Amino acid sequence: MSEGQRFQLGTIGALSLSVVSSVSIVICNKALISTLGFTFATTLTSWHLLVTFCSLHVALWLKLFEHKPFDPRAVMGFGILNGSSIGLLNLSLGFNSVGFYQMTKLAIIPCTVLLETLFFRKKFSRHIQVSLGILLLGVGIATVTDLQLNLVGSVLSLLAVVTTCIAQIMTNTIQKKFKVSSTQLLYQSCPYQAITLFVTGPFVDGLLTNQNVFAFKYTPQVLAFIVLSCLISVSVNFSTFLVIGKTSPVTYQVLGHLKTCLVLAFGYVLLRDPFSWRNILGILIAVVGMVVYSYYCTTESQQKASEAAAQLAQAKENESDPLISVENGASILTDGGAAKAPGWNSNKDLRA
């Protein structure tokens, strides 16, 4: 199996793991929050990250991956930013209507495209832009119902979108810049994310629910669902970093909207949630957008790989030409007909 095939297989595995684990944790958390009344989402997320860090520490002890320290300021800044973005998204949901919150999530893709275009000179083809537009239209039809605006909610949504976009772009760029794996980055940033949310979580949850997380009655059933949620979160957090590292922040957001559609479908099938023709139409349009996006992403990636291989082959051929000429005793004739020795670069010969 070639390196390219292994990379594609790893990417498909990461995407599949992300979808399965994310849909599973949404269903688990929905039962925990809606059925059992545990509405402290931010604090729960801090526990998720703490369990993820402990799991990775055990994996490190078992030598399943190698610890690779790098710039501590970058790790701390990234961890705090990532934790803050989660808290801001929860606040955005609390201070806005569900419809406006869904619009906030939809805005993450255009914002990410804009930031990558402005600051990283990344180019998105017309086909990719159109497919993303179809996807966002479909998800919007399926999920956005009411749009009630307020100043505090709008500011929180804007901050949530910007911090989420920057955090996800940093997830990709840090892995490439410092040549660390998704596991290594997650292991080092997890404590900062967990501490950020552990400190702010009770305050944020108290502001949104008017309840105290420490005064909640923890029945055995609630504890069982919390433990299950934390265990699933290890896979969610790992696959998130893995997907963004192997693909891009935009692809991860596209995958996130696929999860939204699957959650709507599973909610209808398993939990008998209300479902309308508008939801069905929106999901179908979104799926078309995802298929088109996947097709053009794959096509453009293969085209870039072919161009890179052709350029590499051309470069090797150009490097080998002088040697071939000398070995064959070839000479270059001047205008006067006299043979002229090949032009050598003395510095290059000495280095060789």
Side-chain angles (χ1 to χ4, degrees), residues 160-233:
V161 169
V162 172
T163 53
T164 300
C165 292
I166 295 174
Q168 291 181 0
I169 291 172
M170 285 180 68
T171 303
N172 183 273
T173 54
I174 286 177
Q175 290 185 53
K176 292 178 179 177
K177 180 180 178 180
F178 295 102
K179 293 181 172 55
V180 293
S181 67
S182 55
T183 310
Q184 291 167 333
L185 177 59
L186 180 60
Y187 175 71
Q188 293 185 65
S189 63
C190 243
Y192 297 106
Q193 296 182 61
I195 290 170
T196 301
L197 291 175
F198 193 78
V199 171
T200 61
F203 169 75
V204 171
D205 290 333
L207 191 65
L208 297 176
T209 64
N210 293 321
Q211 298 181 51
N212 187 348
V213 64
F214 301 109
F216 186 79
K217 185 179 180 181
Y218 292 90
T219 64
Q221 192 175 12
V222 170
L223 290 174
F225 270 91
I226 289 175
V227 171
L228 178 61
S229 179
C230 288
L231 292 176
I232 299 173
S233 73

Side-chain angles (χ1 to χ4, degrees), residues 36-112:
L36 301 177
F38 187 85
T39 55
F40 311 102
T42 310
T43 304
L44 179 63
T45 305
S46 71
W47 297 345
H48 287 170
L49 291 163
L50 183 61
V51 171
T52 299
F53 175 73
C54 293
S55 302
L56 290 176
H57 195 69
V58 172
L60 180 64
W61 181 70
L62 295 173
K63 299 186 185 304
L64 296 179
F65 72 96
E66 181 183 354
H67 179 46
K68 185 179 179 181
F70 60 97
D71 189 352
R73 289 181 300 178
V75 175
M76 183 173 68
F78 168 71
I80 293 174
L81 180 66
N82 223 346
S84 301
S85 69
I86 296 171
L88 285 168
L89 280 171
N90 288 338
L91 282 172
S92 173
L93 176 58
F95 279 87
N96 291 301
S97 64
V98 175
F100 191 80
Y101 174 72
Q102 290 296 338
M103 286 295 294
T104 298
K105 292 175 68 177
L106 290 178
I108 293 175
I109 284 184
C111 183
T112 303

Side-chain angles (χ1 to χ4, degrees), residues 61-310:
W61 181 70
L62 295 173
K63 299 186 185 304
L64 296 179
F65 72 96
E66 181 183 354
H67 179 46
K68 185 179 179 181
F70 60 97
D71 189 352
R73 289 181 300 178
V75 175
M76 183 173 68
F78 168 71
I80 293 174
L81 180 66
N82 223 346
S84 301
S85 69
I86 296 171
L88 285 168
L89 280 171
N90 288 338
L91 282 172
S92 173
L93 176 58
F95 279 87
N96 291 301
S97 64
V98 175
F100 191 80
Y101 174 72
Q102 290 296 338
M103 286 295 294
T104 298
K105 292 175 68 177
L106 290 178
I108 293 175
I109 284 184
C111 183
T112 303
V113 170
L114 178 63
L115 290 176
E116 289 197 306
T117 303
L118 291 177
F119 296 102
F120 295 92
R121 298 290 186 265
K122 186 172 181 179
K123 294 182 179 179
F124 295 87
S125 68
R126 181 70 64 183
H127 293 127
I128 295 294
Q129 293 175 17
V130 170
S131 63
L132 290 175
I134 296 172
L135 165 67
L136 295 176
L137 174 65
V139 177
I141 292 174
T143 61
V144 177
T145 51
D146 57 325
L147 287 176
Q148 299 175 9
L149 303 178
N150 65 81
L151 181 60
V152 176
S154 300
V155 171
L156 288 171
S157 293
L158 178 62
L159 291 174
V161 169
V162 172
T163 53
T164 300
C165 292
I166 295 174
Q168 291 181 0
I169 291 172
M170 285 180 68
T171 303
N172 183 273
T173 54
I174 286 177
Q175 290 185 53
K176 292 178 179 177
K177 180 180 178 180
F178 295 102
K179 293 181 172 55
V180 293
S181 67
S182 55
T183 310
Q184 291 167 333
L185 177 59
L186 180 60
Y187 175 71
Q188 293 185 65
S189 63
C190 243
Y192 297 106
Q193 296 182 61
I195 290 170
T196 301
L197 291 175
F198 193 78
V199 171
T200 61
F203 169 75
V204 171
D205 290 333
L207 191 65
L208 297 176
T209 64
N210 293 321
Q211 298 181 51
N212 187 348
V213 64
F214 301 109
F216 186 79
K217 185 179 180 181
Y218 292 90
T219 64
Q221 192 175 12
V222 170
L223 290 174
F225 270 91
I226 289 175
V227 171
L228 178 61
S229 179
C230 288
L231 292 176
I232 299 173
S233 73
V234 176
S235 176
V236 172
N237 291 324
F238 172 72
S239 62
T240 296
F241 279 61
L242 191 61
V243 168
I244 295 177
K246 282 185 171 293
T247 57
S248 70
V250 173
T251 298
Y252 175 72
Q253 284 300 322
V254 171
L255 189 69
H257 291 307
L258 170 61
K259 299 170 194 174
T260 300
C261 294
L262 289 175
V263 167
L264 286 173
F266 278 120
Y268 173 71
V269 174
L270 300 178
L271 305 176
R272 297 300 175 188
D273 287 343
F275 211 64
S276 66
W277 283 107
R278 175 177 174 171
N279 298 126
I280 297 173
L281 176 63
I283 289 174
L284 290 176
I285 294 174
V287 168
V288 170
M290 292 173 202
V291 171
V292 175
Y293 176 82
S294 302
Y295 171 76
Y296 282 113
C297 273
T298 304
T299 303
E300 291 179 11
S301 297
Q302 291 174 347
Q303 184 179 354
K304 288 178 181 177
S306 300
E307 290 175 355

